[in-house]
Amino acid sequence: MRLKLKRGARLLRNTTAFLLLFLAVALTCQAERRERRVEAWRPTNYDVALVFNDQLTDIKSARADISVLILKNSVNMIDLDFGEMSVESVMVGSEPARFEQAQGKLNVTLNATARQGERLTLSVKYKGRPKDGLILAPDKSGKASATGDNWPDRVHHWIPCLDHPSAKATVRFTVTAPARDLVVANGQLTSKHDNADNTRTWIYNEGAPIPPYCMIVAVGEYALFELPQQPKLTPLFYYVPQADRQFAERGFAPGAPSLELFSQTVAPYPYEKLALIVGATRYGGMENSSAIVFGSALFDARDDAQPLSRRYNIRRGIEETIAHEIAHQWFGDSVTEATWADLWLSEGFATYFAGLFVERYEGLEAFRDYMKRDATAYFNYEKERRAPIFDPDTEDLNKLLNANNYQKGGWVLHMLRSQLGDEAFFRGIRAYYEAHKNSTATTEDLRAALERAGRTNLRDFFARWVYGTGHPVYAPTWTWRASGKKGGVLTINLRQTQTEAAFNNPLPVEIVMPTGKTRTTIKPTTKATVKRVPLSERPTDVRFDPDETILKEVVPASTQ
């Protein structure tokens, strides 16, 4: 009878987890945000040529050759996303094509119906000043500059494209700019040459498919630093305004160690080079593939009393930001979220891997402080809005840059690491990366990889932590009952008081006694759990989750 009850309880838990997951998927289907879909056609390569005027205030001429793969039969139109720059002509192959430009679209009518599997090349000629996406503005030194800043879906203001992260493609940039300027873009510099009109033409080629929001060029009178080539590491460059010349080498010092750590932990760096650029971005950093742009105030002095990195003698915030954006090269750029609801696979990963960098180079105490700050940020966010990490509803994509996708997403990875153990967790992360590099992934892809690595079922964990809301709030009490000379029994009553259902994370407990310490684990199945522990002496303290492995709040334990 006891065995049957255990089997029944296990069946009930599995059924509950399945129902939670099914409900999350059903809600996604009912309230799915309007996303740009890769349906009738897919871009495979962009060949973009830009000619800037002397003051970098306008694009004198531009051409985008877009290689397209047809995915369905009977396709008569390619509906490009495009902004308000003036279109001069559109060609499909060698033939002129009819087009209509309106409301953020450039609809190109094909001269002949395209069939599934057919490949086409569209050539769009245009010019003007983009409304957004490519920022034409003076840098912090007052010098003219141009900087791509595309997240989440702003690249279409200056490149006709399919503007969704899942529409990954290779890209080549041919950029003609004043000879005084340096130009950097995605990929490898394949050539540059001087022109008779005091301009210079630069060609960069990115051979790996990248999300459109990561496609950029940056032009300006930069101070350039090229680091000495190190074995097994990619070429690393710094581009900064002249005002930051004296800070660049020390400020970007975490760059090479970040590359090394993540290459060892995950896989070799996925791109041809890495440029770290200080320029125009509305964000603290933007992870453009192989050409990261950091905000212009990155190295500015602050009065917020941030601790200094003991290794690099720079603000800890600079160190964390650099590691975060470099981690994106693997997670977000190479493995890209399949939908916006999967954004935590980009931001949560970058947040946690920045923490791993802190753990490696600043130590365990600094890492725990980093994770505590992230927990606090999430708790504060949850007071204003209770929503799942996997958020299919939010229409304003910039509002997805929240503590769910960043800090809670990072904590989800930390809890998985703690639950699976380092060996299985990182093996699963490497398998996940290898299976989806240069492509896209979903939350379920990650779950499957970690389940295989850990040989465990994580359906309930993902249902509660990713598809559900909230976190556990523990209200523990404990009592001691002596039993003669043989010691006694410690009874721990663990209640969860959050509004959501029980979280089933195994909860480590440290028991402090006059002669030493011992540990046990509570495995909740409901919101009220009792654990009895025989001990040789009365405990003086009971500590819950002493190593900070669970994202939770704990009401101070009471004794009875």
Side-chain angles (χ1 to χ4, degrees):
M1 181 64 181
R2 206 169 158 190
L3 179 60
K4 289 181 181 179
L5 287 172
K6 286 184 177 180
R7 285 176 177 170
R10 188 182 303 118
L11 178 61
L12 178 60
R13 290 196 300 272
N14 291 341
T15 302
T16 301
F18 176 77
L19 288 174
L20 283 168
L21 185 60
F22 177 81
L23 179 60
V25 173
L27 288 172
T28 299
C29 294
Q30 292 173 6
E32 189 172 18
R33 81 170 52 77
R34 296 185 296 274
E35 290 195 20
R36 182 73 159 103
R37 296 294 181 182
V38 179
E39 294 177 329
W41 59 277
R42 172 184 290 279
T44 59
N45 181 71
Y46 295 92
D47 191 342
V48 181
L50 304 170
V51 179
F52 287 93
N53 69 358
D54 184 65
Q55 294 303 311
L56 304 182
T57 58
D58 196 66
I59 298 175
K60 294 167 60 177
S61 66
R63 189 202 71 250
D65 295 336
I66 309 156
S67 300
V68 168
L69 173 64
I70 302 300
L71 302 178
K72 291 183 176 181
N73 281 323
S74 302
V75 173
N76 296 302
M77 185 180 70
I78 303 297
D79 52 335
L80 294 162
D81 297 308
F82 195 51
E84 299 175 2
M85 295 178 70
S86 175
V87 177
E88 297 179 334
S89 67
V90 178
M91 306 279 287
V92 177
S94 59
E95 299 292 328
R98 291 185 293 114
F99 64 90
E100 180 184 11
Q101 183 181 10
Q103 298 181 332
K105 293 290 184 185
L106 179 61
N107 294 323
V108 180
T109 301
L110 301 181
N111 296 324
T113 299
R115 303 297 179 187
Q116 185 176 8
E118 191 173 346
R119 294 181 182 272
L120 307 174
T121 299
L122 283 68
S123 182
V124 182
K125 289 186 177 181
Y126 55 103
K127 63 181 180 180
R129 182 183 176 92
K131 181 179 178 180
D132 202 351
L134 184 64
I135 309 304
L136 308 179
D139 66 15
K140 67 186 300 182
S141 297
K143 302 292 186 179
S145 72
T147 314
D149 189 40
N150 302 317
W151 202 94
D153 55 357
R154 294 185 289 138
V155 69
H156 71 273
H157 289 288
W158 60 287
I159 301 176
C161 63
L162 199 164
D163 205 350
H164 187 273
S166 65
K168 302 178 71 170
T170 55
V171 63
R172 168 179 160 142
F173 283 109
T174 301
V175 180
T176 300
R180 66 174 185 267
D181 292 320
L182 298 179
V183 174
V184 61
N186 307 107
Q188 187 174 14
L189 177 62
T190 58
S191 72
K192 63 178 179 178
H193 63 266
D194 293 333
N195 306 310
D197 60 352
N198 200 32
T199 64
R200 184 174 293 127
T201 298
W202 309 66
I203 300 178
Y204 283 85
N205 189 66
E206 178 50 75
I210 61 177
Y213 65 63
C214 286
M215 296 178 182
I216 75 143
V217 300
V219 185
E221 294 185 53
Y222 297 113
L224 172 61
F225 299 82
E226 180 177 356
L227 270 65
Q229 184 62 49
Q230 300 181 41
K232 299 182 180 179
L233 280 185
T234 188
L236 184 59
F237 306 86
Y238 307 154
Y239 293 79
V240 300
Q242 296 298 327
D244 282 337
R245 175 187 288 273
Q246 61 181 317
F247 306 112
E249 291 186 281
R250 188 176 75 180
F252 279 135
S258 294
L259 278 172
E260 183 176 15
L261 174 62
F262 303 149
S263 295
Q264 292 171 350
T265 304
V266 184
Y269 178 72
Y271 302 112
E272 299 87 348
K273 63 104 177 38
L274 179 58
L276 305 182
I277 307 160
V278 172
T281 173
R282 65 174 61 176
Y283 309 106
M286 181 56 218
E287 64 269 19
N288 316 296
S289 308
S290 78
I292 299 170
V293 176
F294 296 90
S296 60
L298 179 69
F299 299 139
D300 290 358
R302 296 186 183 180
D303 57 3
D304 56 1
Q306 281 192 10
L308 292 179
S309 162
R310 68 181 188 183
R311 182 181 178 94
Y312 305 108
N313 196 32
I314 58 176
R315 282 187 291 107
R316 188 80 59 77
I318 298 175
E319 178 185 33
E320 294 166 3
T321 299
I322 291 169
H324 178 107
E325 300 305 331
I326 291 177
H328 268 308
Q329 303 295 294
W330 285 264
F331 302 107
D333 295 7
S334 184
V335 177
T336 303
E337 61 276 11
T339 73
W340 288 116
D342 296 298
L343 181 62
W344 80 282
L345 300 178
S346 174
E347 298 300 348
F349 267 80
T351 300
Y352 189 58
F353 272 70
L356 295 181
F357 184 85
V358 170
E359 183 180 32
R360 168 69 66 88
Y361 291 105
E362 300 294 337
L364 182 59
E365 183 178 348
F367 171 68
R368 287 188 176 176
D369 176 69
Y370 177 90
M371 296 304 295
K372 286 178 182 177
R373 284 187 280 122
D374 281 0
T376 299
Y378 162 67
F379 294 147
N380 289 337
Y381 173 78
E382 191 191 64
K383 291 174 184 176
E384 303 298 324
R385 181 172 184 255
R386 299 183 86 87
I389 290 177
F390 189 91
D391 178 357
D393 298 328
T394 299
E395 289 287 349
D396 183 347
L397 297 176
N398 274 288
K399 290 184 178 179
L400 292 176
L401 301 179
N402 57 44
N404 262 350
N405 280 311
Y406 285 75
Q407 287 90 349
K408 188 178 184 181
W411 260 100
V412 164
L413 293 173
H414 185 55
M415 290 186 289
L416 286 165
R417 175 189 175 191
S418 302
Q419 191 165 317
L420 297 176
D422 277 15
E423 197 279 330
F425 174 76
F426 287 110
R427 185 173 69 249
I429 294 298
R430 287 189 290 271
Y432 164 76
Y433 175 81
E434 287 297 328
H436 302 284
K437 66 180 178 181
N438 294 329
S439 186
T440 62
T442 67
T443 297
E444 289 302 289
D445 291 327
L446 175 64
R447 180 174 71 87
L450 293 175
E451 284 184 339
R452 287 190 293 269
R455 297 180 180 179
T456 188
N457 188 330
L458 296 172
R459 189 186 298 269
D460 179 69
F461 180 96
F462 274 71
R464 296 300 297 114
W465 284 105
V466 180
Y467 298 108
T469 62
H471 62 278
V473 179
Y474 298 125
T477 59
W478 58 272
T479 59
W480 167 257
R481 176 170 293 181
S483 56
K485 296 181 180 180
K486 295 183 179 181
V489 175
L490 170 69
T491 300
I492 301 171
N493 288 276
L494 183 70
R495 291 188 303 114
Q496 297 184 34
T497 63
Q498 70 278 356
T499 58
E500 293 85 0
F503 287 81
N504 295 344
N505 298 60
L507 177 65
V509 179
E510 182 176 74
I511 303 167
V512 182
M513 298 172 290
T515 59
K517 301 175 182 177
T518 188
R519 289 203 175 193
T520 188
T521 301
I522 299 176
K523 298 180 179 180
T525 57
T526 65
K527 295 180 78 170
T529 307
V530 178
K531 175 81 173 184
R532 294 179 175 85
V533 186
L535 297 172
S536 60
E537 55 185 330
R538 180 186 178 89
T540 58
D541 195 12
V542 179
R543 299 169 182 168
F544 297 88
D545 192 23
D547 298 326
E548 300 291 339
T549 60
I550 299 173
L551 179 61
K552 86 288 178 190
E553 294 179 273
V554 180
V555 177
S558 61
T559 61
Q560 296 178 349

